[in-house]
Structures are given as C-alpha cells and as structure tokens.
Amino acid sequence: VHLVESGGGLVQPGGSRRLSCAASGFTFSNHYMAWVRQAPGKELESVSSISSGGSTTHYADSVKGRFTISRDNAKNTLYLDMNSLKTEDTAMYYCAKGDTFYYSHPPTARGQGTQVTVSL
C-alpha cells in the first residue's frame, strides 16, 4: 500500500484548499478511503470517508458543510476540498485506506501526510 498526499500549505482563515492522495499497491476502486488529521497534542481524528464507488460519504461534525471528499477511481486518486477554513483545521492531514465495505478508525494504512496551516 502506497499513499502519497499533496496540496497542503499555508492558507488564511476563510480560505480554501484541495488535498489530493495518489494511491497504489492495492485495488483502489475496491476500498473505502478516508481523510484523517492530527493536530499537535491531539489524537488522530477521522475527518471524512467515502465508499469505494463514491456514492456514500461521511463527515465529522466539525467539517460538515465545509469539506467535500471525492475520488476518481480511474486515476486512483482521493481528494478533499476544504472551504471556509478555520484556525482549528490546522493539522497534518493523512489519506487512509479502509476496508471493502467500511472505514474503521484508526486506519491500518495511511500516507506520510501533508501539513495544512490556517493562519493570518
């Protein structure tokens, strides 16, 4: 399993950012996928998950209405569109592999992460 995140960086409060995750080493289209994050001094948090075909999504209450998860199975790529970013969204964001029919937290496989910092 190889997961490589990209797209992080510094963004101002209220701004937007798109994260991407390139997946390889497994049949991407057969698995739930998720984004998880960890802020300094805090536990790993499940942000959002998406079913293998993309028809079912779940969001943490803290990001509902602001973040959108999506996937392109033809490109083996997972996305997270983040809007109306808040300082409390600052964290290392990881792409995580789920099982065939669900995502179970914490993940057994995740990438190296991409840092998102929301600050003036």
Side-chain angles (χ1 to χ4, degrees), residues 32-37 45-51 56-64 67-70 78-81 93-96 103 105:
Y32 255 82
M33 295 295 295
W35 287 98
V36 300
R37 68 184 181 186
E45 174 190 19
S46 176
V47 175
S48 182
S49 64
I50 186 168
S51 60
T56 302
T57 57
H58 300 277
Y59 296 94
D61 288 343
S62 58
V63 306
K64 203 170 291 183
F67 290 12
T68 302
I69 191 171
S70 61
L78 178 72
Y79 303 101
L80 184 68
D81 288 297
Y93 284 73
Y94 301 91
C95 171
Y103 166 71
H105 190 76

Side-chain angles (χ1 to χ4, degrees), residues 4 14 20 31 57 66 69 80 82 100 104 108 112 117-119:
V4 180
S20 299
H31 289 266
T57 57
R66 300 188 297 121
I69 191 171
L80 184 68
M82 306 184 294
T100 303
S104 179
T108 56
Q112 292 299 307
T117 301
V118 184
S119 179

Side-chain angles (χ1 to χ4, degrees), residues 4-10 16-21 35 82 114-116:
V4 180
E5 302 91 341
S6 61
L10 176 64
S16 299
R17 202 80 180 181
R18 171 174 251 205
L19 304 184
S20 299
C21 170
W35 287 98
M82 306 184 294
T114 186
Q115 177 68 37
V116 174

Side-chain angles (χ1 to χ4, degrees), residues 82-95:
M82 306 184 294
N83 298 306
S84 303
L85 282 161
K86 304 176 181 180
T87 55
E88 52 262 44
D89 294 318
T90 295
M92 185 71 81
Y93 284 73
Y94 301 91
C95 171

